[in-house]
Amino acid sequence: MLAYGRMPGARPASSLTDVPGFRVGHATDSRGLTGCTVVLCGDGAVPGLDVRGLAAGLRDTGPCGPAHLVPVVHALLLSGGSAYGLDAAAGVMSFLERQGIGFRVRDAIVPIVPAAILFDLSAGSPRARPTPAMARRACRAASSRPVLQGNVGAGTGASVGKMHGIRRAMKSGLGSASRRKGALVVGALAVVNAWGDVIDPRTGSIVAGLRDRPDGSALPGTTRELLRAGLPFRAGAGARARGRPAARGDDAAPPPSTTLGVVATNARLTKVEATSVARAAQVACARCIAPVWTRFDGDVVFCLSRGRVRADPLVVGALATEAMQEAILRAALLARAVAGLPAARDLDRRAAL
């Protein structure tokens, strides 16, 4: 893991894999600046889903609905590559099929693998995108060890603060954390690729986000800039096709953005209860991202229940909110600079010079 322990006020390292029965793996393309992350759920977990923003990219999320025939999901895939990255879920399915894991229909086995994607084509190569082979590598790398965080997996090409395009944005990544109450464990994982800024709700300060100029280190605040000057592009500019990135530095249209989240717990939940927990975890996004859930974002939170601990969904939701809040902050604080995009740790270092 990266050196989260060096951050002020840091808690002991924790992550989603503190929840028994879940494994997390990454596949990372450091050259193309993209990647994918898989959460494996053993023989299945009861799912829930909450979607905010107007630009979500999803695959096979039907089983997350309470009325759906299929009772559990067997894995989740979070992927870069915009809509192209949804194809990588086939790699997770083929991996699980070989393991004999899936929904059985007569003699067939059909692994249920919902997927969600983020747009990272502006940060790296627009032709680099996760493939089924990459997703299989992520599955083979999956373990119950503490989750690797920062510029890994689906967070490899993540960025934040994109009101004025990628040139004034900052690097973000993937973060994870967990919370406990007695026998109850709730873990969270976040890939933060938001249009807005990442805010520390304890201080109100901007951790990472829009910079004052392409080579600048001052953080004026996306919300403040939005209220002061309005959008720097035409109101309809966001209608650009998902698979067609804007030119690097082009302010004519906003780079599509997304924060992807996963909550896992050993609490015994129904689909309705898991959905309520996913919805509660979105509160962490509202606390830590500003502006949040915009029409340029496809913010998604999944909840996965795998266990027999009896717990009130309100308690699970409260722990999920705390864990997701820390995961979002870690995603920004553990990122490293790439491709001309500074990270929070770089700006802190500049300020100290």
Side-chain angles (χ1 to χ4, degrees):
M1 292 182 63
L2 295 172
Y4 182 77
R6 291 163 55 191
M7 291 161 39
R11 294 175 178 269
S14 65
S15 70
L16 182 145
T17 49
D18 292 337
V19 183
F22 292 95
R23 294 183 292 149
V24 174
H26 306 298
T28 301
D29 178 357
S30 298
R31 176 175 294 182
L33 291 185
T34 192
C36 60
T37 296
V38 65
V39 180
L40 300 182
C41 310
D43 58 359
V46 175
L49 173 66
D50 189 74
V51 181
R52 307 288 173 99
L54 300 180
L58 302 169
R59 178 188 190 272
D60 199 18
T61 56
C64 297
H68 200 279
L69 169 69
V70 177
V72 297
V73 301
H74 304 99
L76 290 179
L77 176 73
L78 308 180
S79 178
S82 190
Y84 296 111
L86 293 173
D87 288 344
V92 183
M93 292 184 68
S94 65
F95 176 86
L96 293 176
E97 182 184 25
R98 293 191 186 101
Q99 306 294 315
I101 297 173
F103 182 67
R104 295 185 178 272
V105 184
R106 295 184 181 273
D107 296 329
I109 296 177
V110 183
I112 306 301
V113 184
I117 52 90
L118 58 85
F119 185 98
D120 55 8
L121 305 182
S122 296
S125 168
R127 294 196 174 277
R129 68 279 312 247
T131 63
M134 282 186 70
R136 283 191 289 272
R137 290 205 303 273
C139 290
R140 289 193 294 269
S143 80
S144 58
R145 294 189 298 272
V147 176
L148 292 173
Q149 302 176 47
N151 295 22
V152 294
T156 304
S159 57
V160 295
K162 288 168 280 196
M163 178 177 177
H164 287 285
I166 197 69
R167 291 189 306 158
R168 289 174 58 180
M170 286 181 63
K171 187 71 182 73
S172 185
L174 180 149
S176 189
S178 70
R179 292 288 185 271
R180 297 174 181 266
K181 180 178 173 58
L184 175 63
V185 188
V186 181
L189 183 151
V191 184
V192 182
N193 189 52
W195 188 75
D197 306 324
V198 176
I199 310 293
D200 186 338
R202 296 165 296 189
T203 64
S205 61
I206 299 173
V207 176
L210 175 70
R211 291 176 292 143
D212 57 336
R213 58 183 189 277
D215 61 346
S217 59
L219 306 179
T222 297
T223 299
R224 182 178 298 175
E225 283 292 290
L226 183 64
L227 296 176
R228 182 186 67 82
L231 290 174
F233 44 81
R234 298 186 308 278
R240 181 184 302 272
R242 189 189 309 276
R244 294 178 55 204
R248 188 177 295 272
D250 180 10
D251 289 346
S257 305
T258 288
T259 296
L260 305 178
V262 180
V263 172
T265 182
N266 63 349
R268 185 175 182 177
L269 301 176
T270 66
K271 284 187 180 182
V272 171
E273 291 168 339
T275 298
S276 73
V277 170
R279 185 174 298 127
Q282 289 275 14
V283 172
C285 295
R287 290 176 180 173
C288 297
I289 298 171
V292 69
W293 307 326
T294 75
R295 69 178 183 272
F296 313 120
D297 290 291
D299 299 331
V300 176
V301 174
F302 294 93
C303 177
L304 300 170
S305 166
R306 177 178 166 79
R308 297 186 176 277
V309 175
R310 296 287 185 178
D312 192 297
L314 288 174
V315 175
V316 180
L319 292 174
T321 300
E322 289 190 2
M324 186 63 71
Q325 179 174 304
E326 186 166 352
I328 291 170
L329 292 175
R330 287 183 176 185
L333 289 165
L334 297 179
R336 301 184 305 276
V338 296
L341 293 178
R345 59 174 66 186
D346 301 301
L347 297 195
D348 288 344
R349 188 176 296 116
R350 287 186 203 175
L353 295 176

